[in-house]
Amino acid sequence: MASLIGKVAIVTAASRGIGAAVAQRLSQDGAAVVVNYVASPEKATAVVNAIEAQGGKAIAIQANVANQADVQRLFDETEQQFGPIDIVVNVAGVSVFKPHTELTDEDFEKVFSVNAKGAMYVLQAAANRVKDGGRIVQFSTGGTMMPIAAGGVYAASKAAGERFAFALAKEIGHRQVTVNVVSPGVTDTDGLVLPEPAIAHLVSQTPLGRLGQPTDIANVVAFLVGDDAHWMTGQNLQVNGGIL
Ligand SMILES: NC(=O)c1ccc[n+]([C@@H]2O[C@H](COP(=O)([O-])OP(=O)(O)OC[C@H]3O[C@@H](n4cnc5c(N)ncnc54)[C@H](OP(=O)(O)O)[C@@H]3O)[C@@H](O)[C@H]2O)c1
């Protein structure tokens, strides 16, 4: 039985990878879904078309999460098209993998603008707009718990998003809004930019013995935004085949 019928969800970075799987899963569970993207309108349209082909309701909205005006417009257009917002899943994230001694200002700016500042903007808008009883999910990475060589600046920027989410969980829990973090392990998407030997090593260290798939992660998001997770907030779920 679908539990999200009548709900409105924004999924950032839903044109590809994990975000696309989350958007499709929330639609299958009954939600009207906003498929956010930044630079790939054709990919976002393909996700919307796939949802509509299955009888779901979706629209694509371009917005850069690192731009506050874009984020406000994303939420404004969602409310205009679908009405009040129940669910926000902030999947958007970018990575840099480089040894610490080689990091530049540009590397820092790239990951912190999307993963930290973008998380601040999306979580602010979500806190202001999500209905009482709503759900907010922020994406991080297993790399904030398990240090990965050359992953320092990425993990540091993702840790910022986690901390915003945990504080927000305390600030708006009285409205019965839950705020949780999902931290994928290595997952098979365009965003998996580690060298092949590093991926093979990580898979060899994974008790469940394979690379994660976007649907593995989307299943957990579906649980978190559904009715059964109403007593969970301020948590960081490691969805990684047990690698930590
Ligand atoms: N894949 C992994 O192994 C892994 C592991 C741990 C954590 N994660 C985290 O999981 C999340 C999803 O990762 P993924 O691998 O599925 O990503 P991906 O395949 O690299 O897809 C990137 C997505 O992010 C969107 N995007 C990039 N910058 C954006 C911005 N500034 N504003 C809005 N959207 C933006 C892209 O939109 P366009 O298509 O328009 O460019 C695209 O939809 C990220 O937060 C990532 O850090 C991934």
Side-chain angles (χ1 to χ4, degrees):
M1 182 71 174
S3 64
L4 301 182
I5 291 169
K7 308 261 188 201
V8 172
I10 295 176
V11 184
T12 68
S15 48
R16 290 184 273 141
I18 295 167
V22 169
Q24 284 175 320
R25 174 58 195 265
L26 300 195
S27 169
Q28 284 159 13
D29 288 356
V33 179
V34 169
V35 174
N36 161 250
Y37 67 98
V38 67
S40 309
E42 69 297 337
K43 291 199 167 84
T45 301
V47 174
V48 168
N49 290 344
I51 287 172
E52 288 178 343
Q54 293 184 328
K57 204 169 152 189
I59 52 170
I61 299 180
Q62 191 279 340
N64 176 359
V65 299
N67 179 307
Q68 194 168 24
D70 275 16
V71 172
Q72 294 304 321
R73 180 176 47 76
L74 171 65
F75 280 71
D76 288 345
E77 288 182 17
T78 300
E79 289 174 340
Q80 284 156 17
Q81 298 277 339
F82 286 154
I85 300 159
D86 300 281
I87 296 163
V88 175
V89 186
N90 186 30
V91 181
V94 295
S95 62
V96 166
F97 287 96
K98 260 190 193 180
H100 193 78
T101 51
E102 295 175 18
L103 290 173
T104 64
D105 282 0
E106 289 71 29
D107 297 328
F108 183 93
E109 193 52 43
K110 176 182 171 185
V111 290
F112 273 83
S113 67
V114 175
N115 301 347
K117 200 163 67 172
M120 184 175 83
Y121 293 152
V122 173
L123 292 175
Q124 269 178 347
N128 286 329
R129 311 275 194 116
V130 157
K131 284 160 64 178
D132 289 359
R135 297 280 187 272
I136 301 172
V137 178
Q138 168 66 31
F139 264 66
S140 185
T141 169
T144 63
M145 299 275 284
M146 183 183 74
I148 299 174
V153 77
Y154 172 59
S157 65
K158 283 294 199 177
E162 291 179 8
R163 295 296 128 185
F164 290 139
F166 297 149
L168 185 60
K170 299 230 172 196
E171 292 166 20
I172 60 175
H174 65 96
R175 292 175 39 213
Q176 304 305 311
V177 177
T178 70
V179 188
N180 289 292
V181 173
V182 166
S183 292
V186 275
T187 309
D188 192 8
T189 70
D190 297 347
L192 185 56
V193 293
L194 292 171
E196 192 53 48
I199 294 172
H201 174 71
L202 288 166
V203 170
S204 76
Q205 301 300 302
T206 301
L208 294 182
R210 64 171 172 80
L211 205 55
Q213 294 300 318
T215 51
D216 295 325
I217 317 300
N219 292 342
V220 175
V221 175
F223 164 69
L224 280 176
V225 304
D227 290 341
D228 287 343
H230 64 268
W231 191 235
M232 285 183 67
T233 195
Q235 304 302 309
N236 184 353
L237 276 72
Q238 304 292 328
V239 191
N240 57 20
I243 191 171
L244 285 180

Short mmCIF file of all heavy atoms in Angstrom, two decimals, residues 12-20 36-44 62-67 90-95 113-115 138-143 154 158 182-194 211-212 214 217, ligand 1:
data_model
loop_
_atom_site.label_atom_id
_atom_site.label_comp_id
_atom_site.label_asym_id
_atom_site.label_seq_id
_atom_site.Cartn_x
_atom_site.Cartn_y
_atom_site.Cartn_z
N THR A 12 16.25 17.25 -4.70
CA THR A 12 17.30 17.97 -5.43
C THR A 12 18.21 16.95 -6.12
O THR A 12 18.32 15.80 -5.69
CB THR A 12 18.14 18.88 -4.51
OG1 THR A 12 18.91 18.09 -3.61
CG2 THR A 12 17.27 19.86 -3.74
N ALA A 13 18.85 17.40 -7.21
CA ALA A 13 19.78 16.54 -7.96
C ALA A 13 19.12 15.23 -8.38
O ALA A 13 19.68 14.15 -8.21
CB ALA A 13 21.03 16.25 -7.12
N ALA A 14 17.94 15.35 -8.96
CA ALA A 14 17.16 14.15 -9.29
C ALA A 14 17.23 13.80 -10.78
O ALA A 14 16.49 12.95 -11.25
CB ALA A 14 15.71 14.34 -8.87
N SER A 15 18.11 14.47 -11.52
CA SER A 15 18.20 14.19 -12.96
C SER A 15 19.02 12.94 -13.27
O SER A 15 18.96 12.42 -14.38
CB SER A 15 18.83 15.39 -13.69
OG SER A 15 19.99 15.82 -13.02
N ARG A 16 19.79 12.49 -12.28
CA ARG A 16 20.68 11.34 -12.50
C ARG A 16 20.88 10.60 -11.19
O ARG A 16 20.55 11.11 -10.12
CB ARG A 16 22.06 11.81 -12.98
CG ARG A 16 22.08 12.37 -14.35
CD ARG A 16 23.48 12.71 -14.78
NE ARG A 16 23.89 14.03 -14.39
CZ ARG A 16 25.11 14.34 -13.94
NH1 ARG A 16 26.02 13.40 -13.82
NH2 ARG A 16 25.43 15.58 -13.63
N GLY A 17 21.51 9.42 -11.28
CA GLY A 17 22.05 8.73 -10.13
C GLY A 17 21.05 8.47 -9.01
O GLY A 17 19.90 8.11 -9.25
N ILE A 18 21.52 8.68 -7.78
CA ILE A 18 20.71 8.36 -6.61
C ILE A 18 19.45 9.23 -6.56
O ILE A 18 18.36 8.74 -6.25
CB ILE A 18 21.55 8.55 -5.32
CG1 ILE A 18 22.70 7.53 -5.29
CG2 ILE A 18 20.68 8.39 -4.08
CD1 ILE A 18 23.77 7.81 -4.24
N GLY A 19 19.60 10.52 -6.90
CA GLY A 19 18.44 11.42 -6.85
C GLY A 19 17.33 10.97 -7.79
O GLY A 19 16.14 11.02 -7.44
N ALA A 20 17.70 10.52 -8.98
CA ALA A 20 16.68 10.03 -9.93
C ALA A 20 15.97 8.81 -9.36
O ALA A 20 14.74 8.67 -9.48
CB ALA A 20 17.34 9.69 -11.27
N ASN A 36 14.53 18.18 -9.36
CA ASN A 36 15.46 19.32 -9.52
C ASN A 36 16.72 18.88 -10.27
O ASN A 36 17.17 17.75 -10.13
CB ASN A 36 15.83 19.87 -8.14
CG ASN A 36 17.10 20.71 -8.17
OD1 ASN A 36 18.14 20.30 -7.65
ND2 ASN A 36 17.05 21.86 -8.81
N TYR A 37 17.25 19.80 -11.05
CA TYR A 37 18.52 19.57 -11.74
C TYR A 37 19.23 20.92 -11.84
O TYR A 37 18.62 21.97 -11.60
CB TYR A 37 18.28 18.98 -13.14
CG TYR A 37 17.59 19.95 -14.08
CD1 TYR A 37 18.32 20.71 -15.00
CD2 TYR A 37 16.21 20.15 -14.01
CE1 TYR A 37 17.69 21.63 -15.83
CE2 TYR A 37 15.58 21.06 -14.84
CZ TYR A 37 16.33 21.80 -15.74
OH TYR A 37 15.71 22.71 -16.56
N VAL A 38 20.52 20.89 -12.25
CA VAL A 38 21.22 22.17 -12.41
C VAL A 38 21.60 22.42 -13.86
O VAL A 38 21.48 23.54 -14.35
CB VAL A 38 22.44 22.28 -11.47
CG1 VAL A 38 23.54 21.30 -11.81
CG2 VAL A 38 22.99 23.69 -11.47
N ALA A 39 22.05 21.38 -14.58
CA ALA A 39 22.62 21.62 -15.92
C ALA A 39 22.18 20.62 -16.97
O ALA A 39 22.66 20.70 -18.10
CB ALA A 39 24.15 21.60 -15.82
N SER A 40 21.32 19.67 -16.64
CA SER A 40 20.95 18.62 -17.60
C SER A 40 19.43 18.53 -17.78
O SER A 40 18.80 17.58 -17.29
CB SER A 40 21.47 17.26 -17.12
OG SER A 40 22.82 17.31 -16.81
N PRO A 41 18.84 19.53 -18.49
CA PRO A 41 17.38 19.51 -18.62
C PRO A 41 16.87 18.25 -19.30
O PRO A 41 15.80 17.73 -18.93
CB PRO A 41 17.08 20.76 -19.48
CG PRO A 41 18.38 21.18 -20.07
CD PRO A 41 19.46 20.69 -19.16
N GLU A 42 17.66 17.74 -20.27
CA GLU A 42 17.18 16.55 -20.99
C GLU A 42 17.13 15.33 -20.07
O GLU A 42 16.21 14.50 -20.17
CB GLU A 42 18.04 16.28 -22.25
CG GLU A 42 19.47 15.83 -22.04
CD GLU A 42 20.40 16.81 -21.32
OE1 GLU A 42 20.16 18.04 -21.31
OE2 GLU A 42 21.38 16.34 -20.75
N LYS A 43 18.07 15.24 -19.15
CA LYS A 43 18.07 14.10 -18.22
C LYS A 43 16.92 14.24 -17.21
O LYS A 43 16.25 13.26 -16.88
CB LYS A 43 19.42 14.01 -17.49
CG LYS A 43 20.55 13.60 -18.41
CD LYS A 43 21.74 13.08 -17.63
CE LYS A 43 22.73 12.39 -18.53
NZ LYS A 43 23.68 13.27 -19.19
N ALA A 44 16.70 15.46 -16.73
CA ALA A 44 15.58 15.68 -15.80
C ALA A 44 14.25 15.38 -16.50
O ALA A 44 13.35 14.76 -15.91
CB ALA A 44 15.60 17.11 -15.29
N GLN A 62 14.78 23.64 -12.75
CA GLN A 62 16.21 23.93 -12.70
C GLN A 62 16.49 24.83 -11.50
O GLN A 62 15.77 25.82 -11.29
CB GLN A 62 16.64 24.62 -14.00
CG GLN A 62 18.14 24.73 -14.20
CD GLN A 62 18.77 25.90 -13.44
OE1 GLN A 62 18.12 26.85 -13.05
NE2 GLN A 62 20.06 25.81 -13.22
N ALA A 63 17.49 24.51 -10.74
CA ALA A 63 17.95 25.39 -9.66
C ALA A 63 19.31 24.91 -9.17
O ALA A 63 19.50 23.70 -8.99
CB ALA A 63 16.96 25.39 -8.48
N ASN A 64 20.20 25.86 -8.96
CA ASN A 64 21.51 25.55 -8.38
C ASN A 64 21.39 25.69 -6.87
O ASN A 64 21.13 26.79 -6.36
CB ASN A 64 22.55 26.54 -8.94
CG ASN A 64 23.92 26.34 -8.32
OD1 ASN A 64 24.12 25.49 -7.47
ND2 ASN A 64 24.86 27.15 -8.78
N VAL A 65 21.57 24.59 -6.14
CA VAL A 65 21.37 24.66 -4.68
C VAL A 65 22.36 25.61 -4.00
O VAL A 65 22.12 26.05 -2.87
CB VAL A 65 21.44 23.27 -4.00
CG1 VAL A 65 20.36 22.34 -4.51
CG2 VAL A 65 22.83 22.66 -4.10
N ALA A 66 23.46 25.93 -4.68
CA ALA A 66 24.45 26.84 -4.11
C ALA A 66 24.06 28.31 -4.29
O ALA A 66 24.81 29.20 -3.87
CB ALA A 66 25.82 26.59 -4.73
N ASN A 67 22.90 28.56 -4.91
CA ASN A 67 22.42 29.93 -5.15
C ASN A 67 21.11 30.10 -4.38
O ASN A 67 20.11 29.45 -4.69
CB ASN A 67 22.22 30.11 -6.66
CG ASN A 67 21.70 31.49 -7.00
OD1 ASN A 67 20.70 31.93 -6.46
ND2 ASN A 67 22.38 32.15 -7.91
N ASN A 90 17.42 16.49 0.09
CA ASN A 90 18.52 17.24 -0.51
C ASN A 90 19.65 16.28 -0.89
O ASN A 90 20.56 16.02 -0.09
CB ASN A 90 19.04 18.33 0.44
CG ASN A 90 20.08 19.19 -0.24
OD1 ASN A 90 20.04 19.38 -1.47
ND2 ASN A 90 21.02 19.71 0.51
N VAL A 91 19.58 15.79 -2.11
CA VAL A 91 20.58 14.82 -2.60
C VAL A 91 21.81 15.53 -3.16
O VAL A 91 22.90 14.97 -3.17
CB VAL A 91 19.95 13.93 -3.70
CG1 VAL A 91 20.96 12.90 -4.20
CG2 VAL A 91 18.69 13.23 -3.19
N ALA A 92 21.65 16.78 -3.60
CA ALA A 92 22.71 17.45 -4.36
C ALA A 92 24.06 17.42 -3.65
O ALA A 92 24.17 17.77 -2.47
CB ALA A 92 22.31 18.90 -4.64
N GLY A 93 25.07 16.99 -4.38
CA GLY A 93 26.41 16.96 -3.83
C GLY A 93 27.43 16.81 -4.95
O GLY A 93 27.13 16.21 -5.98
N VAL A 94 28.60 17.40 -4.76
CA VAL A 94 29.70 17.25 -5.73
C VAL A 94 30.94 16.83 -4.96
O VAL A 94 31.05 17.04 -3.74
CB VAL A 94 29.96 18.55 -6.52
CG1 VAL A 94 28.78 18.91 -7.39
CG2 VAL A 94 30.30 19.69 -5.58
N SER A 95 31.90 16.23 -5.68
CA SER A 95 33.07 15.70 -4.97
C SER A 95 34.37 16.16 -5.62
O SER A 95 34.42 16.49 -6.80
CB SER A 95 33.02 14.17 -4.94
OG SER A 95 33.07 13.66 -6.26
N SER A 113 30.73 25.03 -1.71
CA SER A 113 29.60 25.84 -2.20
C SER A 113 28.34 24.99 -2.35
O SER A 113 27.25 25.42 -1.99
CB SER A 113 29.95 26.52 -3.52
OG SER A 113 30.10 25.57 -4.54
N VAL A 114 28.49 23.76 -2.82
CA VAL A 114 27.30 22.90 -3.03
C VAL A 114 26.98 22.09 -1.76
O VAL A 114 25.84 22.08 -1.29
CB VAL A 114 27.51 21.95 -4.23
CG1 VAL A 114 26.34 20.98 -4.37
CG2 VAL A 114 27.71 22.75 -5.51
N ASN A 115 27.99 21.44 -1.19
CA ASN A 115 27.73 20.48 -0.11
C ASN A 115 27.46 21.16 1.24
O ASN A 115 26.72 20.61 2.05
CB ASN A 115 28.92 19.53 0.05
CG ASN A 115 29.20 18.75 -1.22
OD1 ASN A 115 28.39 18.72 -2.14
ND2 ASN A 115 30.35 18.10 -1.30
N GLN A 138 18.77 14.88 4.40
CA GLN A 138 19.99 15.48 3.87
C GLN A 138 20.96 14.37 3.50
O GLN A 138 21.16 13.44 4.28
CB GLN A 138 20.61 16.41 4.94
CG GLN A 138 22.00 16.89 4.66
CD GLN A 138 22.07 17.81 3.45
OE1 GLN A 138 21.14 18.54 3.14
NE2 GLN A 138 23.19 17.75 2.75
N PHE A 139 21.58 14.47 2.32
CA PHE A 139 22.55 13.44 1.91
C PHE A 139 23.96 13.79 2.36
O PHE A 139 24.42 14.92 2.21
CB PHE A 139 22.52 13.25 0.39
CG PHE A 139 21.63 12.11 -0.01
CD1 PHE A 139 20.26 12.18 0.19
CD2 PHE A 139 22.16 10.94 -0.54
CE1 PHE A 139 19.44 11.12 -0.13
CE2 PHE A 139 21.35 9.88 -0.86
CZ PHE A 139 19.99 9.96 -0.66
N SER A 140 24.64 12.78 2.90
CA SER A 140 26.06 12.92 3.23
C SER A 140 26.82 11.77 2.57
O SER A 140 26.44 11.30 1.48
CB SER A 140 26.26 12.93 4.74
OG SER A 140 27.63 13.17 5.03
N THR A 141 27.87 11.31 3.21
CA THR A 141 28.68 10.21 2.68
C THR A 141 29.25 9.40 3.83
O THR A 141 29.52 9.97 4.92
CB THR A 141 29.86 10.75 1.84
OG1 THR A 141 30.77 9.67 1.57
CG2 THR A 141 30.64 11.84 2.57
N GLY A 142 29.45 8.11 3.62
CA GLY A 142 30.14 7.29 4.61
C GLY A 142 31.53 7.80 4.91
O GLY A 142 32.12 7.47 5.94
N GLY A 143 32.07 8.63 4.00
CA GLY A 143 33.41 9.17 4.15
C GLY A 143 33.58 10.10 5.34
O GLY A 143 34.70 10.42 5.73
N TYR A 154 36.19 16.65 0.53
CA TYR A 154 34.81 16.20 0.26
C TYR A 154 34.12 15.85 1.57
O TYR A 154 33.01 16.33 1.85
CB TYR A 154 34.86 14.99 -0.68
CG TYR A 154 33.55 14.28 -0.92
CD1 TYR A 154 32.45 14.94 -1.45
CD2 TYR A 154 33.42 12.92 -0.63
CE1 TYR A 154 31.26 14.27 -1.68
CE2 TYR A 154 32.24 12.24 -0.86
CZ TYR A 154 31.16 12.93 -1.38
OH TYR A 154 29.97 12.26 -1.60
N LYS A 158 30.83 17.62 3.41
CA LYS A 158 29.62 16.83 3.68
C LYS A 158 29.29 16.83 5.17
O LYS A 158 28.13 16.81 5.57
CB LYS A 158 29.81 15.39 3.19
CG LYS A 158 29.68 15.25 1.69
CD LYS A 158 28.26 15.55 1.29
CE LYS A 158 27.92 15.01 -0.06
NZ LYS A 158 26.50 15.25 -0.40
N VAL A 182 21.13 10.65 5.25
CA VAL A 182 21.43 9.36 4.60
C VAL A 182 22.85 9.44 4.04
O VAL A 182 23.17 10.37 3.30
CB VAL A 182 20.41 9.06 3.48
CG1 VAL A 182 20.90 7.92 2.60
CG2 VAL A 182 19.06 8.71 4.08
N SER A 183 23.67 8.48 4.43
CA SER A 183 25.07 8.45 3.98
C SER A 183 25.31 7.20 3.15
O SER A 183 25.50 6.11 3.70
CB SER A 183 26.00 8.47 5.20
OG SER A 183 25.93 9.70 5.85
N PRO A 184 25.32 7.35 1.83
CA PRO A 184 25.60 6.17 1.00
C PRO A 184 27.07 5.78 1.12
O PRO A 184 27.95 6.60 1.41
CB PRO A 184 25.32 6.67 -0.43
CG PRO A 184 24.57 7.95 -0.28
CD PRO A 184 25.00 8.53 1.03
N GLY A 185 27.32 4.48 0.87
CA GLY A 185 28.69 4.04 0.60
C GLY A 185 28.91 4.11 -0.90
O GLY A 185 28.18 4.81 -1.61
N VAL A 186 29.92 3.40 -1.41
CA VAL A 186 30.18 3.47 -2.85
C VAL A 186 28.98 2.97 -3.64
O VAL A 186 28.52 1.85 -3.44
CB VAL A 186 31.45 2.68 -3.26
CG1 VAL A 186 32.68 3.54 -3.08
CG2 VAL A 186 31.59 1.38 -2.51
N THR A 187 28.49 3.82 -4.52
CA THR A 187 27.24 3.56 -5.23
C THR A 187 27.47 3.82 -6.72
O THR A 187 28.13 4.80 -7.09
CB THR A 187 26.12 4.49 -4.70
OG1 THR A 187 26.08 4.37 -3.27
CG2 THR A 187 24.76 4.11 -5.26
N ASP A 188 26.92 2.97 -7.54
CA ASP A 188 27.20 2.95 -8.98
C ASP A 188 26.45 4.08 -9.71
O ASP A 188 25.32 3.89 -10.15
CB ASP A 188 26.77 1.58 -9.53
CG ASP A 188 27.29 1.36 -10.93
OD1 ASP A 188 28.08 2.18 -11.40
OD2 ASP A 188 26.88 0.35 -11.54
N THR A 189 27.10 5.25 -9.81
CA THR A 189 26.51 6.41 -10.50
C THR A 189 27.62 7.15 -11.25
O THR A 189 28.80 6.85 -11.06
CB THR A 189 25.90 7.41 -9.49
OG1 THR A 189 26.98 8.04 -8.78
CG2 THR A 189 24.95 6.75 -8.51
N ASP A 190 27.21 8.19 -12.03
CA ASP A 190 28.21 9.06 -12.68
C ASP A 190 29.12 9.71 -11.65
O ASP A 190 30.24 10.12 -11.97
CB ASP A 190 27.52 10.21 -13.43
CG ASP A 190 26.64 9.73 -14.56
OD1 ASP A 190 26.75 8.55 -14.93
OD2 ASP A 190 25.84 10.55 -15.06
N GLY A 191 28.60 9.87 -10.42
CA GLY A 191 29.34 10.59 -9.38
C GLY A 191 30.43 9.76 -8.73
O GLY A 191 31.18 10.28 -7.91
N LEU A 192 30.51 8.48 -9.08
CA LEU A 192 31.55 7.62 -8.48
C LEU A 192 32.83 7.79 -9.28
O LEU A 192 33.05 7.12 -10.28
CB LEU A 192 31.07 6.16 -8.48
CG LEU A 192 31.98 5.16 -7.78
CD1 LEU A 192 32.24 5.57 -6.34
CD2 LEU A 192 31.36 3.77 -7.82
N VAL A 193 33.66 8.75 -8.83
CA VAL A 193 34.81 9.16 -9.64
C VAL A 193 36.13 8.61 -9.10
O VAL A 193 37.19 9.01 -9.55
CB VAL A 193 34.90 10.70 -9.72
CG1 VAL A 193 33.74 11.26 -10.52
CG2 VAL A 193 34.93 11.33 -8.33
N LEU A 194 36.08 7.68 -8.14
CA LEU A 194 37.32 7.10 -7.63
C LEU A 194 37.96 6.23 -8.70
O LEU A 194 37.26 5.64 -9.53
CB LEU A 194 37.02 6.23 -6.39
CG LEU A 194 36.55 6.97 -5.14
CD1 LEU A 194 36.09 5.97 -4.09
CD2 LEU A 194 37.68 7.82 -4.59
N LEU A 211 29.01 -3.45 -5.17
CA LEU A 211 28.80 -2.00 -5.24
C LEU A 211 27.32 -1.71 -4.96
O LEU A 211 26.46 -2.47 -5.39
CB LEU A 211 29.15 -1.58 -6.67
CG LEU A 211 29.59 -0.16 -7.00
CD1 LEU A 211 30.79 0.25 -6.16
CD2 LEU A 211 29.93 -0.10 -8.49
N GLY A 212 27.04 -0.60 -4.27
CA GLY A 212 25.65 -0.21 -4.07
C GLY A 212 25.00 0.27 -5.36
O GLY A 212 25.69 0.77 -6.25
N PRO A 214 21.70 2.73 -6.97
CA PRO A 214 20.86 3.85 -6.53
C PRO A 214 19.56 3.40 -5.84
O PRO A 214 19.13 4.03 -4.87
CB PRO A 214 20.58 4.60 -7.84
CG PRO A 214 21.81 4.35 -8.65
CD PRO A 214 22.22 2.94 -8.35
N ILE A 217 19.73 2.82 -2.10
CA ILE A 217 19.69 4.04 -1.28
C ILE A 217 18.25 4.59 -1.26
O ILE A 217 17.74 5.00 -0.21
CB ILE A 217 20.64 5.12 -1.83
CG1 ILE A 217 22.01 4.52 -2.25
CG2 ILE A 217 20.81 6.25 -0.83
CD1 ILE A 217 22.79 3.84 -1.17
N1 LIG B 1 27.83 7.70 -5.75
C1 LIG B 1 28.46 7.46 -4.61
O1 LIG B 1 29.28 6.52 -4.50
C2 LIG B 1 28.17 8.31 -3.40
C3 LIG B 1 28.77 7.92 -2.19
C4 LIG B 1 28.52 8.68 -1.05
C5 LIG B 1 27.71 9.80 -1.12
N2 LIG B 1 27.14 10.16 -2.31
C6 LIG B 1 26.29 11.35 -2.32
O2 LIG B 1 25.02 11.00 -2.83
C7 LIG B 1 24.48 12.11 -3.57
C8 LIG B 1 24.13 11.69 -4.98
O3 LIG B 1 25.30 11.22 -5.61
P1 LIG B 1 25.27 10.61 -7.10
O4 LIG B 1 26.51 9.79 -7.19
O5 LIG B 1 23.94 10.00 -7.38
O6 LIG B 1 25.44 11.94 -7.97
P2 LIG B 1 25.72 12.06 -9.57
O7 LIG B 1 25.42 10.78 -10.27
O8 LIG B 1 27.08 12.66 -9.71
O9 LIG B 1 24.61 13.12 -10.01
C9 LIG B 1 24.84 14.45 -9.75
C10 LIG B 1 23.50 15.11 -9.60
O10 LIG B 1 23.69 16.30 -8.86
C11 LIG B 1 23.09 17.36 -9.58
N3 LIG B 1 23.77 18.57 -9.16
C12 LIG B 1 25.10 18.81 -9.15
N4 LIG B 1 25.36 20.04 -8.67
C13 LIG B 1 24.15 20.58 -8.36
C14 LIG B 1 23.75 21.83 -7.86
N5 LIG B 1 24.66 22.79 -7.56
N6 LIG B 1 22.43 22.06 -7.67
C15 LIG B 1 21.51 21.13 -7.97
N7 LIG B 1 21.83 19.90 -8.46
C16 LIG B 1 23.15 19.65 -8.65
C17 LIG B 1 23.27 16.97 -11.03
O11 LIG B 1 22.40 17.70 -11.89
P3 LIG B 1 22.67 17.79 -13.48
O12 LIG B 1 22.35 16.39 -14.04
O13 LIG B 1 21.73 18.82 -13.95
O14 LIG B 1 24.12 18.12 -13.66
C18 LIG B 1 22.90 15.48 -10.93
O15 LIG B 1 21.51 15.31 -10.85
C19 LIG B 1 25.53 13.22 -3.48
O16 LIG B 1 25.24 14.08 -2.41
C20 LIG B 1 26.81 12.47 -3.21
O17 LIG B 1 27.77 13.27 -2.56
C21 LIG B 1 27.36 9.43 -3.45
#
